[in-house]
Amino acid sequence: MTQSNRHASGGRIDRGQPLRFTFNGKSYEGFEGDTLASALLANGVRVTARSFKYHRPRGIVGHGPEEPATLVELEGEDASGNLPATTIPLREGLRARSVNCWPSPEFDLGGVNQLLGRFIPAGFYYKTFKWPNWHLFEPSIRKAAGLAAAPDKPPSSGHFEARHAHTDVLIAGAGPAGLQVALEAGRAGKRVFLADEGTEAGGSLLNRNLTINGQPAMGWVDDAVQELREMANVTHLQNATVWAYREHNLLIVNERNPEQDSIIERSWRVRAGEVVIATGATERAMVFSNNDRPGVMLASSVQAYVNRWGVIPGKRLVLFTNNNSVYAVASDLVANGIRVEAILDSRATVPQAALDMVPGLSVHASTVVGDVRGHKGVKAAKAVSATGVESWIECDVLAHSGGWNPTVHLWSQSRSSLQFDERLAAFLPDQAAQNCTAIGAAAGHLALDQIIEGGEDLAYEIEPLWRVDLPDQRGKAFLDIQNDVSVSDVHLALREGYDNVEHVKRYTTGGMGIDQGKTGNINIIGTVAMQKGVPLQEVGTTTFRSPYTPVSFGAIGGLREGSVLFPYRHTPVTQWNEDNGAVMYEAGARWRRPGYFPEQGEGLQEAVNRECRAVREGVGVYDGSPLGTFELKGRDVPQFLDFIYSNVMSSLTPGNGRYGLMLSDDGLILDDGVVFRLDDHRWLVSTSTGHADAMNQHMEKLLQTEFPDWQVMITTVTSQWNNATICGPRARDVMQALGTDIDLSPEAFPFMSFRDGTVAGFPARVVRVSFTGELSFEVNVAPRHMAALWDKVLEAGEPFGVLPVGSESSHVLRVEKGFLSLGHEVDGTADAYDLGMGWVMSKKKTDYLGKRSILLRREGASTRRELVGILPDDPNKQVPEGAPLTPGGRKEATEGLVTACVWSVVNDRWVGLALLQGGYGRHGETAHVRLKDEVIPVKITKPVFHDPDGNLLRS
């Protein structure tokens, strides 16, 4: 199909890549680099939409996110709705249709509303449909007021993603100002996150013929982008809108069409040290009768279509303005062979510099547009001089510019203030509420030479004209084209007492929805100010709400997989684990830990059995780095530890440790772990991985609220120590093969003690603890040595059959020994006595946290659930964890639950742990596991299945 309104050459499109698409069921053709809007204009499509309320014919008005008129719905795999046609990159097979019109924008039955316009002004439904009941009319009104429908199903291919990022500087906008700052920050070595909503960088330079130091401005842009691309400290995203600014410099970015084919859109949550708002400025419309007819366009958009896309929006143009920027537009139009019939300037005096740009053109000062002729397309514009002389000028496009509004949406969202600038007739950034800065056009610097040294541009001057106000004026003059808000609607709101600008917004819907005031807000504010006779600063602005542009629910919800929700914490051997085939799990506090290490052809159970057998019969090694570790220092540490632990810690001597429980106020178990005394005033507290942060908060809260006079300093050292725990009967052999100056004999280095020395040539602290029930040496080194230590352990342990061990095997080994697990046996109901750990509850201390609650609970005569072991009658029968226990059949009351069930390599059968009412006195009895389809008999035993006397771990 011939693109009748396209230049044969020019623009930033690839004419060698034609693209076919359909719009409202008709087939058209465009080029790579087009937007849907530019392709429609190139194909001569003028009527592209119907208005929201009155269903008036509408065409393309803008060229970017400010587009107020043409919203479309994409069909097929790309299904989504309410997208400005100007922001949709053209692609092969694109299918789009207009919203809010039926059967088409050319003939819309809803157009009958134009005849009823005088009866349906702003807020009419609040009054008209109150009787007899609003709910009778509500469904029909909501249906009529809707735009595009939600897609019937999600995209058939690809997925949405969410990510987090931290940066020193986030820059919103890759126009000349944004690129300049990005270069400076990147060269200084700062982490830079640059996001721009356009498909390519350059901002307004893409649409204008400007020069920098005598060379085309886009050459400077290309050089800047190339330099940024080569900087490893710069993240540069195009087609990515910074759409929300939250507290503490958290910004949300919607990246469309990322480089990965599998990702449809990506949502970034970016925490920035500093934010630079380089969002440019938005051209505002002029307000006059019938200013919404197809062919009435923003002047800068006409310029963009001509220069960037090689499109000819019209054959005969009239320009209407109150500022200098239109004269650069006229110059570009003439240079492209487009006929400019006249420039109508509302100012009494046109600056000479502006006139010099358009020699030979007809310029009419003190002249406004009073009306537009044409229904589905502009045919003529009525010029009205200050003396009242009227004349009709034939044209097919009326390009107008009411001035420029700095795009302050993000600035306002950050809760920073705005100030009206009389010289620019616009609201500018004032006082910053967060660490942010506005630059370039967003700060009111509207000429290129104000932004970049060497830039050449016409100085910006304006005399505001908030609306054309003529005697006997007919036809609607729209302030907000997207929401069909006219001057008369605002006047009505004021007459009815809604004189606060926020009330005007809600009464009329001006600046609501997708538009969020991009083109119409300032004209509404100006109209209110004129009507009330007050300055615009006194009227103020409405709240600029996020999102700045439409954002899909898919992107907001986004898949949060891998490290895209929270940055995972890694140890120095995480990469080794992944390289060697480990199945990685997420552990508490966002650690990535290996679950198991399957060999070729192995499933989970086979791999776990092999690892467990290595620990029970030979030797294994696991990475214990994520365990929470805290160093406590100060005069009062002993009494503090005695208070937070149920047993006595103050009697420990340097070099030795003790296992203990931390309890809550109600006497239940918060965490278990070991405490070691380093010297007279320093102690080391170890906690579980998952509860590390909670235990830190627990200790700090007690010190700050209950014992503020105690001298106890807590330092988190989890990440300052990494450890490889060597465990199994051959652990001592591997330690000796590694080489160490520490005496490893049981007499010199007993269980629950530590020694400092060197291991494999590295400074190390070796601790004798055991979480597996076997002889274990926990070798702690600085993180910088951990990877090398790991390699040396595997090398030294090879003759002894050493294997890496994952968390699945650790769980099995703990169950075999009857060691409790948080979230399993410690389920929020059982206390230490229920778990058979009365030995860790001190009877010597007068008090400790939770003691009184335990005593009160123990005074009751009720039977409690107590920890027992279970052996299924069928040794090959696995019992699901969490399954209920009953004395007999299905109809009997539940007496407890299974907390764990594992295949035990040392017993060659399934074994388990359970909480059972009166369990201590029921050893040898039979209980029943009740499942949906069967009942499994199990024998009640002591909750330990391996080395009940602990001889092996002390060996």
Side-chain angles (χ1 to χ4, degrees):
M1 179 175 288
T2 303
Q3 299 179 43
S4 56
N5 286 22
R6 179 94 74 176
H7 278 299
S9 61
R12 298 181 66 82
I13 53 176
D14 186 350
R15 297 171 188 271
Q17 293 193 50
L19 302 173
R20 291 165 294 179
F21 69 100
T22 62
F23 181 66
N24 290 328
K26 295 182 180 180
S27 297
Y28 301 96
E29 187 176 272
F31 295 117
E32 180 70 31
D34 264 322
T35 64
L36 175 60
S38 66
L40 290 173
L41 286 172
N43 283 278
V45 181
R46 306 201 70 181
V47 180
T48 55
R50 287 283 173 153
S51 72
F52 174 72
K53 181 177 177 181
Y54 300 113
H55 291 256
R56 291 164 65 99
R58 294 277 168 82
I60 303 295
V61 173
H63 68 282
E66 79 289 336
E67 170 59 37
T70 304
L71 302 179
V72 302
E73 179 177 3
L74 300 184
E75 300 175 310
E77 292 187 3
D78 303 318
S80 59
N82 301 329
L83 301 174
T86 51
T87 63
I88 301 173
L90 197 65
R91 50 188 175 273
E92 179 67 25
L94 181 76
R95 292 160 51 201
R97 62 184 177 90
S98 305
V99 301
N100 197 41
C101 57
W102 187 83
S104 73
E106 285 287 347
F107 177 72
D108 179 16
L109 290 177
V112 69
N113 283 4
Q114 296 174 66
L115 303 176
L116 305 174
R118 61 180 298 181
F119 303 109
I120 50 175
F124 76 96
Y125 42 87
Y126 295 127
K127 310 165 190 177
T128 308
F129 300 108
K130 293 178 70 174
W131 183 90
N133 190 307
W134 156 255
H135 296 293
L136 292 175
F137 308 100
E138 183 180 14
S140 298
I141 291 176
R142 291 194 181 279
K143 184 177 181 180
L147 294 176
D152 294 329
K153 56 184 178 180
S156 59
S157 61
H159 64 273
F160 298 90
E161 182 182 272
R163 277 194 182 180
H164 285 246
H166 291 76
T167 186
D168 296 320
V169 183
L170 181 142
I171 304 167
L179 288 173
Q180 182 70 26
V181 171
L183 288 171
E184 294 172 0
R187 291 165 181 165
K190 293 185 176 182
R191 292 176 300 168
V192 177
F193 194 103
L194 173 63
D196 184 83
E197 65 190 0
T199 54
E200 56 180 320
S204 63
L205 301 183
L206 290 162
N207 311 319
R208 305 179 62 193
N209 288 322
L210 296 176
T211 60
I212 298 175
N213 295 322
Q215 301 298 318
M218 283 307 298
W220 178 87
V221 170
D222 293 340
D223 292 343
V225 170
Q226 181 60 36
E227 184 176 348
L228 291 172
R229 186 177 293 119
E230 295 170 357
M231 295 182 183
N233 55 317
V234 174
T235 299
H236 179 187
L237 304 181
Q238 287 297 145
N239 207 2
T241 301
V242 184
W243 62 267
Y245 196 151
R246 302 289 190 246
E247 295 81 2
H248 306 295
N249 271 11
L250 173 66
L251 295 100
I252 309 178
V253 182
N254 185 39
E255 181 185 6
R256 299 170 294 276
N257 301 321
E259 292 182 1
Q260 294 94 324
D261 292 336
S262 62
I263 300 176
I264 303 167
E265 292 181 8
R266 178 183 289 131
S267 180
W268 293 83
R269 275 75 164 171
V270 185
R271 189 77 68 176
E274 179 183 0
V275 176
V276 177
I277 297 174
T279 47
T282 302
E283 192 169 33
R284 61 179 177 248
M286 295 288 263
V287 182
F288 51 88
S289 292
N290 295 312
N291 62 335
D292 67 325
R293 295 304 189 193
V296 178
M297 302 176 65
L298 293 174
S300 63
S301 297
V302 171
Q303 185 181 32
Y305 287 117
V306 170
N307 290 331
R308 184 174 178 181
W309 290 287
V311 170
I312 308 170
K315 303 296 192 296
R316 304 172 65 185
L317 277 76
V318 169
L319 302 175
F320 177 31
T321 189
N322 61 356
N323 65 87
N324 283 9
S325 64
V326 153
Y327 292 85
V329 175
S331 178
D332 284 356
L333 296 179
V334 171
N336 279 274
I338 298 173
R339 182 174 176 178
V340 176
E341 298 290 346
I343 301 176
L344 311 182
D345 198 320
S346 62
R347 297 175 292 181
T349 302
V350 180
Q352 187 60 46
L355 293 173
D356 290 344
M357 295 195 71
V358 290
L361 291 188
S362 176
V363 178
H364 304 270
S366 298
T367 303
V368 299
V369 172
D371 200 355
V372 175
R373 182 182 293 156
H375 180 61
K376 294 183 179 180
V378 173
K379 295 182 178 179
K382 183 168 73 172
V384 183
S385 70
T387 59
V389 176
E390 299 180 357
S391 61
W392 285 93
I393 305 175
E394 292 187 1
C395 58
D396 54 6
V397 170
L398 173 58
H400 56 119
S401 172
W404 291 83
N405 301 324
T407 306
V408 295
H409 292 65
L410 290 178
W411 179 270
S412 182
Q413 287 178 23
S414 75
R415 296 298 184 261
S416 301
S417 63
L418 299 171
Q419 179 71 34
F420 186 74
D421 186 286
E422 297 287 349
R423 183 179 61 86
L424 297 178
F427 284 92
L428 301 183
D430 186 27
Q431 297 296 317
Q434 301 192 51
N435 190 14
C436 58
T437 306
I439 62 171
H445 306 303
L446 297 171
L448 182 61
D449 56 2
Q450 295 177 284
I451 301 171
I452 294 181
E453 185 177 353
E456 301 176 24
D457 203 355
L458 178 64
Y460 180 74
E461 297 181 32
I462 184 174
E463 291 180 12
L465 177 66
W466 303 119
R467 71 172 190 265
V468 173
D469 193 7
L470 299 173
D472 301 324
Q473 188 166 313
R474 303 180 64 184
K476 288 188 176 295
F478 289 97
L479 299 164
D480 182 328
I481 290 177
Q482 184 169 108
N483 294 299
D484 270 3
V485 178
S486 65
V487 172
S488 60
D489 290 329
V490 171
H491 287 176
L492 176 61
L494 296 175
R495 288 198 304 271
E496 298 205 351
Y498 296 94
D499 57 353
N500 180 282
V501 69
E502 292 284 9
H503 294 162
V504 171
K505 172 181 177 178
R506 283 153 181 79
Y507 190 92
T508 65
T509 71
M512 294 178 69
I514 296 169
D515 181 74
Q516 285 301 308
K518 296 181 185 67
T519 56
N521 255 24
I522 189 70
N523 287 328
I524 292 175
I525 296 166
T527 298
V528 171
M530 287 178 63
Q531 198 71 3
K532 295 176 66 174
V534 298
L536 272 76
Q537 182 66 39
E538 185 174 323
V539 176
T541 67
T542 57
T543 302
F544 292 94
R545 300 184 184 279
S546 58
Y548 171 70
T549 53
V551 180
S552 66
F553 283 108
I556 294 173
L559 283 176
R560 288 158 170 82
E561 297 180 324
S563 58
V564 298
L565 175 56
F566 293 111
Y568 277 130
R569 300 170 71 178
H570 302 277
T571 75
V573 296
T574 298
Q575 191 61 53
W576 185 95
N577 292 328
E578 293 178 345
D579 292 344
N580 285 271
V583 176
M584 302 298 290
Y585 288 175
E586 178 181 351
R590 300 190 299 277
W591 288 98
R592 290 277 283 168
R593 300 183 69 176
Y596 57 100
F597 294 83
E599 292 184 349
Q600 185 68 33
E602 280 187 336
L604 184 152
Q605 193 61 58
E606 293 84 0
V608 171
N609 291 348
R610 180 172 45 80
E611 294 172 22
C612 289
R613 189 169 289 108
V615 175
R616 292 291 185 229
E617 300 175 1
V619 64
V621 60
Y622 65 85
D623 180 7
S625 303
L627 287 172
T629 311
F630 304 92
E631 185 173 307
L632 276 61
K633 183 177 182 181
R635 179 191 63 227
D636 298 307
V637 172
Q639 62 180 331
F640 177 63
L641 292 176
D642 279 351
F643 180 75
I644 64 175
Y645 280 95
S646 63
N647 51 340
V648 177
M649 295 296 182
S650 56
S651 61
L652 282 171
T653 57
N656 294 299
R658 188 167 293 151
Y659 175 85
L661 297 178
M662 282 192 199
L663 307 182
S664 59
D665 288 333
D666 57 7
L668 298 177
I669 298 172
L670 273 180
D671 196 59
D672 69 332
V674 293
V675 174
F676 283 89
R677 190 166 192 167
L678 303 180
D679 55 36
D680 289 343
H681 300 291
R682 292 191 305 134
W683 304 68
L684 207 62
V685 171
S686 178
T687 72
S688 62
T689 300
H691 284 194
D693 291 341
M695 292 306 100
N696 188 19
Q697 294 174 14
H698 172 65
M699 292 188 289
E700 286 287 3
K701 180 181 179 182
L702 287 173
L703 288 172
Q704 295 179 33
T705 61
E706 302 295 331
F707 310 112
D709 297 330
W710 285 8
Q711 187 185 84
V712 179
M713 281 73 73
I714 301 175
T715 303
T716 302
V717 294
T718 302
S719 297
Q720 295 179 19
W721 290 96
N722 289 162
N723 83 68
T725 299
I726 304 167
C727 51
R730 307 301 299 271
R732 189 173 279 114
D733 296 331
V734 175
M735 286 292 294
Q736 291 170 342
L738 281 169
T740 179
D741 58 2
I742 299 172
D743 187 344
L744 301 174
S745 66
E747 297 77 19
F749 193 178
F751 182 63
M752 292 305 290
S753 63
F754 76 88
R755 300 291 183 265
D756 289 337
T758 60
V759 176
F762 303 117
R765 173 175 293 158
V766 182
V767 182
R768 280 215 51 196
V769 292
S770 179
F771 297 102
T772 63
E774 300 292 339
L775 170 67
S776 299
F777 294 92
E778 183 182 282
V779 184
N780 293 270
V781 295
R784 63 181 177 274
H785 300 316
M786 178 61 181
L789 172 67
W790 187 263
D791 290 339
K792 288 180 180 292
V793 169
L794 294 173
E795 181 182 351
E798 187 174 3
F800 309 101
V802 69
L803 289 181
V805 175
S807 58
E808 290 283 1
S809 299
S810 295
H811 174 62
V812 173
L813 299 169
R814 291 175 69 95
V815 172
E816 288 180 330
K817 279 293 294 178
F819 290 165
L820 64 87
S821 294
L822 300 176
H824 288 260
E825 292 72 48
V826 182
D827 67 344
T829 66
D831 63 23
Y833 291 101
D834 298 329
L835 300 176
M837 301 185 69
W839 57 269
V840 82
M841 311 297 286
S842 174
K843 296 177 176 61
K844 297 179 180 180
K845 294 192 296 184
T846 57
D847 193 20
Y848 54 84
L849 186 64
K851 180 177 181 179
R852 177 172 171 78
S853 296
I854 285 183
L855 293 177
L856 290 173
R857 185 180 296 113
R858 288 286 146 185
E859 288 177 357
S862 62
T863 303
R864 294 185 57 78
R865 292 181 175 181
E866 296 166 335
L867 184 65
V868 297
I870 58 171
L871 296 173
D873 284 3
D874 181 351
N876 295 309
K877 189 72 172 181
Q878 181 182 13
V879 177
E881 294 182 358
L885 286 169
T886 65
R890 295 179 177 278
K891 296 182 179 180
E892 295 179 326
T894 298
E895 290 188 314
L897 75 154
V898 178
T899 62
C901 187
V902 300
W903 178 266
S904 169
V905 295
V906 293
N907 291 279
D908 195 28
R909 62 164 298 142
W910 289 96
V911 301
L913 299 175
L915 290 173
L916 182 67
Q917 288 182 4
Y920 295 159
R922 299 176 62 176
H923 294 170
E925 293 184 10
T926 296
H928 296 80
V929 177
R930 188 178 66 208
L931 303 180
K932 181 178 180 180
D933 299 320
E934 62 178 324
V935 175
I936 304 174
V938 295
K939 182 181 179 181
I940 308 302
T941 70
K942 290 183 178 181
V944 57
F945 305 98
H946 176 65
D947 187 29
D949 297 326
N951 294 325
L952 295 177
L953 60 85
R954 292 181 175 87
S955 60

